[in-house]
Amino acid sequence: MANFRKSCIDREPLIGTFSAIPHPVAIEVTARAGADFLCIDWEHSQIGRERIEDLIRAADVHRVPAIVRVPGHAPEQIAAVLDAGAAGVLVPRVSTADQAKAAVMATRYPPVGERGVGPGRAANYGYSIPDYLSKANDELVLAIQVETSEGLENIAEIVGVDGVDVIFIGPGDLSVSIGALGPKGKNKLDAAIRTITKTALAAGRTVGIFRPSTDDIAEWSATGISFFVLASDTMFLGSAVAEKTANARKLATKATVV
Protein backbone atom coordinates (compact mmCIF):
# COMPACT_ATOMS: atom_id res chain seq x y z
CA MET A 1 0.00 0.00 0.00
CA ALA A 2 3.00 2.28 0.48
CA ASN A 3 3.33 2.49 -3.31
CA PHE A 4 -0.24 3.69 -3.89
CA ARG A 5 0.69 7.36 -4.21
CA LYS A 6 3.54 6.46 -6.57
CA SER A 7 1.13 4.43 -8.68
CA CYS A 8 -1.18 7.44 -8.84
CA ILE A 9 1.57 9.89 -9.75
CA ASP A 10 3.05 7.48 -12.32
CA ARG A 11 -0.40 7.31 -13.95
CA GLU A 12 -0.71 3.59 -13.69
CA PRO A 13 -4.26 2.49 -14.61
CA LEU A 14 -6.15 2.28 -11.32
CA ILE A 15 -9.74 1.12 -10.92
CA GLY A 16 -11.52 1.78 -7.65
CA THR A 17 -15.07 2.26 -6.47
CA PHE A 18 -17.00 4.33 -3.96
CA SER A 19 -17.87 2.59 -0.71
CA ALA A 20 -21.19 3.86 0.58
CA ILE A 21 -22.46 0.94 2.65
CA PRO A 22 -21.59 1.67 6.29
CA HIS A 23 -20.40 -1.81 7.24
CA PRO A 24 -16.98 -3.50 7.20
CA VAL A 25 -18.41 -6.58 5.50
CA ALA A 26 -19.17 -4.50 2.38
CA ILE A 27 -15.61 -3.18 2.43
CA GLU A 28 -14.12 -6.67 2.73
CA VAL A 29 -16.29 -8.10 -0.05
CA THR A 30 -15.37 -5.22 -2.38
CA ALA A 31 -11.69 -5.39 -1.48
CA ARG A 32 -11.57 -9.12 -2.15
CA ALA A 33 -13.30 -8.63 -5.50
CA GLY A 34 -10.22 -7.02 -7.01
CA ALA A 35 -10.52 -3.24 -6.73
CA ASP A 36 -7.19 -1.39 -6.84
CA PHE A 37 -8.45 1.03 -4.19
CA LEU A 38 -11.62 2.07 -2.39
CA CYS A 39 -12.99 5.55 -1.82
CA ILE A 40 -15.08 5.65 1.35
CA ASP A 41 -17.78 8.21 0.69
CA TRP A 42 -18.29 10.37 3.75
CA GLU A 43 -19.89 13.09 1.62
CA HIS A 44 -22.85 11.33 -0.01
CA SER A 45 -23.67 8.33 2.18
CA GLN A 46 -24.89 7.32 5.61
CA ILE A 47 -21.34 6.68 6.82
CA GLY A 48 -20.57 8.53 10.05
CA ARG A 49 -17.25 9.75 11.40
CA GLU A 50 -17.10 7.02 14.05
CA ARG A 51 -17.52 4.31 11.41
CA ILE A 52 -14.79 5.45 9.06
CA GLU A 53 -11.93 3.99 11.06
CA ASP A 54 -13.57 0.55 11.09
CA LEU A 55 -14.02 0.71 7.32
CA ILE A 56 -10.39 1.70 6.75
CA ARG A 57 -9.31 -1.12 9.05
CA ALA A 58 -11.37 -3.61 7.01
CA ALA A 59 -9.67 -2.45 3.79
CA ASP A 60 -6.26 -2.74 5.46
CA VAL A 61 -6.95 -6.41 6.24
CA HIS A 62 -6.90 -7.09 2.50
CA ARG A 63 -4.13 -4.57 1.79
CA VAL A 64 -6.33 -2.46 -0.46
CA PRO A 65 -5.74 1.31 -0.11
CA ALA A 66 -8.75 3.22 1.18
CA ILE A 67 -9.04 6.95 0.61
CA VAL A 68 -11.95 8.97 1.98
CA ARG A 69 -14.09 11.58 0.27
CA VAL A 70 -14.64 14.12 3.01
CA PRO A 71 -17.84 16.21 3.19
CA GLY A 72 -16.12 19.54 2.61
CA HIS A 73 -12.94 21.57 3.03
CA ALA A 74 -12.69 21.64 6.83
CA PRO A 75 -9.12 20.82 7.94
CA GLU A 76 -10.41 18.89 10.95
CA GLN A 77 -12.36 16.52 8.67
CA ILE A 78 -9.30 15.89 6.53
CA ALA A 79 -7.11 15.35 9.59
CA ALA A 80 -9.66 12.99 11.14
CA VAL A 81 -9.67 10.51 8.25
CA LEU A 82 -5.90 10.66 7.79
CA ASP A 83 -5.38 10.10 11.53
CA ALA A 84 -7.69 7.08 11.18
CA GLY A 85 -5.26 5.57 8.69
CA ALA A 86 -6.70 6.52 5.30
CA ALA A 87 -4.32 6.23 2.36
CA GLY A 88 -5.45 9.63 1.17
CA VAL A 89 -8.30 12.04 0.84
CA LEU A 90 -10.64 13.25 -1.91
CA VAL A 91 -11.71 16.85 -1.32
CA PRO A 92 -14.93 17.81 -3.14
CA ARG A 93 -15.98 21.07 -4.83
CA VAL A 94 -12.55 22.62 -5.28
CA SER A 95 -13.15 25.61 -7.54
CA THR A 96 -10.18 27.91 -6.93
CA ALA A 97 -6.43 27.69 -6.48
CA ASP A 98 -6.81 29.00 -2.92
CA GLN A 99 -9.12 26.11 -2.07
CA ALA A 100 -6.62 23.67 -3.59
CA LYS A 101 -3.82 25.23 -1.52
CA ALA A 102 -5.95 24.92 1.62
CA ALA A 103 -6.40 21.20 0.89
CA VAL A 104 -2.63 20.81 0.61
CA MET A 105 -2.13 22.66 3.89
CA ALA A 106 -4.63 20.38 5.65
CA THR A 107 -3.20 17.17 4.20
CA ARG A 108 0.56 17.69 4.54
CA TYR A 109 2.67 18.13 7.64
CA PRO A 110 5.09 21.09 7.98
CA PRO A 111 7.09 22.39 6.27
CA VAL A 112 4.86 21.57 3.28
CA GLY A 113 1.54 22.06 5.04
CA GLU A 114 -0.11 22.73 8.37
CA ARG A 115 -1.58 19.38 9.42
CA GLY A 116 -1.47 18.88 13.16
CA VAL A 117 0.21 15.91 14.82
CA GLY A 118 -2.18 13.55 16.58
CA PRO A 119 -1.93 10.16 18.33
CA GLY A 120 -4.40 8.41 16.05
CA ARG A 121 -4.49 4.98 14.50
CA ALA A 122 -2.20 6.01 11.61
CA ALA A 123 0.55 6.79 14.13
CA ASN A 124 -0.09 3.61 16.13
CA TYR A 125 -2.06 5.62 18.68
CA GLY A 126 0.92 7.78 19.50
CA TYR A 127 3.59 5.09 19.70
CA SER A 128 4.92 5.58 16.16
CA ILE A 129 4.57 9.32 15.59
CA PRO A 130 8.16 9.93 14.37
CA ASP A 131 7.95 7.05 11.90
CA TYR A 132 4.57 8.20 10.58
CA LEU A 133 5.72 11.80 10.26
CA SER A 134 8.76 10.72 8.27
CA LYS A 135 6.70 9.13 5.51
CA ALA A 136 3.19 10.66 5.56
CA ASN A 137 3.88 13.54 3.17
CA ASP A 138 5.45 11.14 0.67
CA GLU A 139 2.80 8.42 0.86
CA LEU A 140 -0.60 10.08 1.35
CA VAL A 141 -2.65 10.84 -1.76
CA LEU A 142 -4.37 14.19 -2.16
CA ALA A 143 -7.08 14.21 -4.81
CA ILE A 144 -9.21 17.29 -5.36
CA GLN A 145 -12.55 17.18 -7.12
CA VAL A 146 -13.25 19.68 -9.89
CA GLU A 147 -16.99 19.71 -10.48
CA THR A 148 -18.20 23.31 -10.94
CA SER A 149 -18.24 25.92 -13.68
CA GLU A 150 -15.97 28.04 -11.50
CA GLY A 151 -13.52 25.16 -11.22
CA LEU A 152 -13.56 24.72 -14.98
CA GLU A 153 -12.88 28.44 -15.44
CA ASN A 154 -10.00 28.36 -12.94
CA ILE A 155 -8.54 25.00 -13.94
CA ALA A 156 -5.19 26.42 -15.13
CA GLU A 157 -4.55 27.97 -11.71
CA ILE A 158 -5.85 24.95 -9.80
CA VAL A 159 -3.57 22.43 -11.52
CA GLY A 160 -0.58 24.65 -10.80
CA VAL A 161 -0.87 24.13 -7.04
CA ASP A 162 2.02 22.03 -5.73
CA GLY A 163 1.07 19.15 -3.45
CA VAL A 164 -2.02 18.06 -5.37
CA ASP A 165 -1.64 14.54 -6.75
CA VAL A 166 -4.91 13.87 -8.60
CA ILE A 167 -7.35 16.19 -10.34
CA PHE A 168 -10.59 14.24 -10.03
CA ILE A 169 -13.49 15.14 -12.32
CA GLY A 170 -17.03 14.86 -11.00
CA PRO A 171 -19.17 14.71 -14.16
CA GLY A 172 -22.52 14.73 -12.36
CA ASP A 173 -22.16 18.01 -10.53
CA LEU A 174 -20.12 19.48 -13.39
CA SER A 175 -22.92 18.77 -15.87
CA VAL A 176 -25.43 20.57 -13.64
CA SER A 177 -23.10 23.49 -12.97
CA ILE A 178 -22.32 24.19 -16.65
CA GLY A 179 -25.84 23.50 -17.92
CA ALA A 180 -24.99 20.23 -19.66
CA LEU A 181 -27.29 17.78 -17.93
CA GLY A 182 -28.69 14.84 -19.86
CA PRO A 183 -28.13 13.51 -23.40
CA LYS A 184 -28.49 16.96 -24.98
CA GLY A 185 -25.60 18.26 -22.92
CA LYS A 186 -23.22 15.36 -23.59
CA ASN A 187 -21.03 17.17 -26.12
CA LYS A 188 -20.69 20.22 -23.88
CA LEU A 189 -19.86 18.05 -20.84
CA ASP A 190 -17.35 15.95 -22.79
CA ALA A 191 -15.64 19.12 -24.00
CA ALA A 192 -15.35 20.39 -20.42
CA ILE A 193 -13.91 17.07 -19.25
CA ARG A 194 -11.37 17.13 -22.05
CA THR A 195 -10.37 20.70 -21.20
CA ILE A 196 -9.77 19.78 -17.56
CA THR A 197 -7.89 16.63 -18.54
CA LYS A 198 -5.64 18.34 -21.09
CA THR A 199 -4.83 21.22 -18.75
CA ALA A 200 -4.07 18.95 -15.79
CA LEU A 201 -1.89 16.57 -17.80
CA ALA A 202 0.07 19.49 -19.25
CA ALA A 203 0.81 20.58 -15.67
CA GLY A 204 2.03 17.10 -14.77
CA ARG A 205 -1.02 16.12 -12.72
CA THR A 206 -2.74 12.77 -12.73
CA VAL A 207 -6.38 12.90 -13.80
CA GLY A 208 -9.23 10.85 -12.39
CA ILE A 209 -12.93 10.62 -13.11
CA PHE A 210 -16.10 8.95 -11.85
CA ARG A 211 -17.82 6.62 -14.28
CA PRO A 212 -21.09 4.83 -13.47
CA SER A 213 -20.24 1.94 -15.81
CA THR A 214 -17.41 0.54 -17.92
CA ASP A 215 -19.02 1.61 -21.21
CA ASP A 216 -16.62 4.48 -21.96
CA ILE A 217 -13.56 3.65 -19.86
CA ALA A 218 -11.48 3.00 -22.99
CA GLU A 219 -12.53 6.33 -24.49
CA TRP A 220 -11.53 8.33 -21.43
CA SER A 221 -8.38 6.30 -20.85
CA ALA A 222 -7.25 7.31 -24.33
CA THR A 223 -7.33 10.98 -23.25
CA GLY A 224 -4.80 10.29 -20.49
CA ILE A 225 -7.17 9.70 -17.58
CA SER A 226 -5.75 6.90 -15.44
CA PHE A 227 -7.57 7.06 -12.08
CA PHE A 228 -11.12 5.71 -12.31
CA VAL A 229 -13.76 5.45 -9.59
CA LEU A 230 -16.27 3.02 -11.02
CA ALA A 231 -19.81 3.20 -9.65
CA SER A 232 -20.21 2.26 -5.97
CA ASP A 233 -20.94 -0.76 -3.82
CA THR A 234 -24.61 0.22 -3.69
CA MET A 235 -24.77 0.59 -7.47
CA PHE A 236 -23.05 -2.77 -7.98
CA LEU A 237 -25.44 -4.42 -5.53
CA GLY A 238 -28.49 -2.97 -7.22
CA SER A 239 -27.38 -3.80 -10.77
CA ALA A 240 -26.38 -7.37 -9.86
CA VAL A 241 -29.71 -8.06 -8.14
CA ALA A 242 -31.63 -6.53 -11.05
CA GLU A 243 -29.70 -8.55 -13.65
CA LYS A 244 -29.89 -11.89 -11.85
CA THR A 245 -33.55 -11.47 -10.92
CA ALA A 246 -34.48 -10.60 -14.50
CA ASN A 247 -32.56 -13.61 -15.81
CA ALA A 248 -34.15 -15.93 -13.28
CA ARG A 249 -37.59 -14.60 -14.16
CA LYS A 250 -36.99 -15.38 -17.83
CA LEU A 251 -35.91 -18.92 -16.99
CA ALA A 252 -38.66 -19.64 -14.52
CA THR A 253 -41.83 -21.25 -15.86
CA LYS A 254 -45.24 -21.14 -14.36
CA ALA A 255 -45.89 -24.28 -12.36
CA THR A 256 -48.66 -26.46 -13.67
CA VAL A 257 -50.74 -28.66 -11.45
CA VAL A 258 -51.21 -32.18 -12.79
Side-chain angles (χ1 to χ4, degrees), residues 7-88:
S7 295
C8 292
I9 294 173
D10 289 348
R11 300 177 193 166
E12 295 180 14
L14 296 171
I15 309 296
T17 187
F18 278 120
S19 295
I21 299 174
H23 201 286
V25 169
I27 292 286
E28 291 203 75
V29 170
T30 307
R32 287 178 61 87
D36 293 319
F37 68 96
L38 304 178
C39 184
I40 298 168
D41 193 1
W42 190 11
E43 183 189 19
H44 289 303
S45 75
Q46 289 71 48
I47 296 173
R49 164 67 185 91
E50 295 78 8
R51 196 56 155 166
I52 289 173
E53 187 166 307
D54 287 338
L55 301 182
I56 295 171
R57 187 179 287 111
D60 286 350
V61 168
H62 298 284
R63 302 191 64 76
V64 175
I67 66 175
V68 178
R69 178 160 69 175
V70 291
H73 299 177
E76 57 269 22
Q77 293 173 339
I78 294 173
V81 300
L82 295 179
D83 285 350

Side-chain angles (χ1 to χ4, degrees), residues 93-114:
R93 301 183 304 281
V94 173
S95 300
T96 67
D98 284 343
Q99 290 174 342
K101 291 174 184 176
V104 174
M105 292 296 103
T107 304
R108 309 297 184 197
Y109 287 117
V112 179
E114 299 175 344

Side-chain angles (χ1 to χ4, degrees), residues 3-258:
N3 293 325
F4 179 55
R5 183 171 182 245
K6 185 177 186 301
S7 295
C8 292
I9 294 173
D10 289 348
R11 300 177 193 166
E12 295 180 14
L14 296 171
I15 309 296
T17 187
F18 278 120
S19 295
I21 299 174
H23 201 286
V25 169
I27 292 286
E28 291 203 75
V29 170
T30 307
R32 287 178 61 87
D36 293 319
F37 68 96
L38 304 178
C39 184
I40 298 168
D41 193 1
W42 190 11
E43 183 189 19
H44 289 303
S45 75
Q46 289 71 48
I47 296 173
R49 164 67 185 91
E50 295 78 8
R51 196 56 155 166
I52 289 173
E53 187 166 307
D54 287 338
L55 301 182
I56 295 171
R57 187 179 287 111
D60 286 350
V61 168
H62 298 284
R63 302 191 64 76
V64 175
I67 66 175
V68 178
R69 178 160 69 175
V70 291
H73 299 177
E76 57 269 22
Q77 293 173 339
I78 294 173
V81 300
L82 295 179
D83 285 350
V89 63
L90 173 58
V91 180
R93 301 183 304 281
V94 173
S95 300
T96 67
D98 284 343
Q99 290 174 342
K101 291 174 184 176
V104 174
M105 292 296 103
T107 304
R108 309 297 184 197
Y109 287 117
V112 179
E114 299 175 344
R115 180 183 169 193
V117 178
R121 175 176 176 269
N124 194 22
Y125 303 102
Y127 289 97
S128 303
I129 288 178
D131 180 60
Y132 182 68
L133 292 179
S134 70
K135 62 186 181 181
N137 282 358
D138 292 330
E139 294 185 359
L140 295 176
V141 173
L142 171 58
I144 60 171
Q145 195 157 331
V146 177
E147 51 187 338
T148 66
S149 59
E150 185 182 9
L152 175 61
E153 182 179 347
N154 294 325
I155 189 60
E157 291 76 23
I158 291 172
V159 300
V161 175
D162 289 334
V164 173
D165 300 314
V166 179
I167 302 296
F168 186 79
I169 303 167
D173 282 319
L174 182 61
S175 68
V176 174
S177 184
I178 66 174
L181 185 63
K184 292 183 178 180
K186 183 180 185 304
N187 289 340
K188 183 176 182 180
L189 176 61
D190 286 356
I193 293 172
R194 291 177 186 278
T195 294
I196 294 170
T197 300
K198 183 178 179 179
T199 307
L201 291 175
R205 306 299 175 201
T206 295
V207 182
I209 194 170
F210 171 79
R211 300 313 299 152
S213 74
T214 60
D215 293 348
D216 56 4
I217 295 292
E219 174 188 343
W220 290 117
S221 180
T223 68
I225 295 176
S226 56
F227 184 98
F228 293 91
V229 177
L230 179 64
S232 67
D233 50 10
T234 51
M235 293 175 70
F236 282 125
L237 175 62
S239 62
V241 172
E243 177 188 355
K244 300 304 180 183
T245 301
N247 288 343
R249 189 169 287 116
K250 289 178 182 178
L251 296 172
T253 58
K254 185 176 180 180
T256 57
V257 178
V258 179

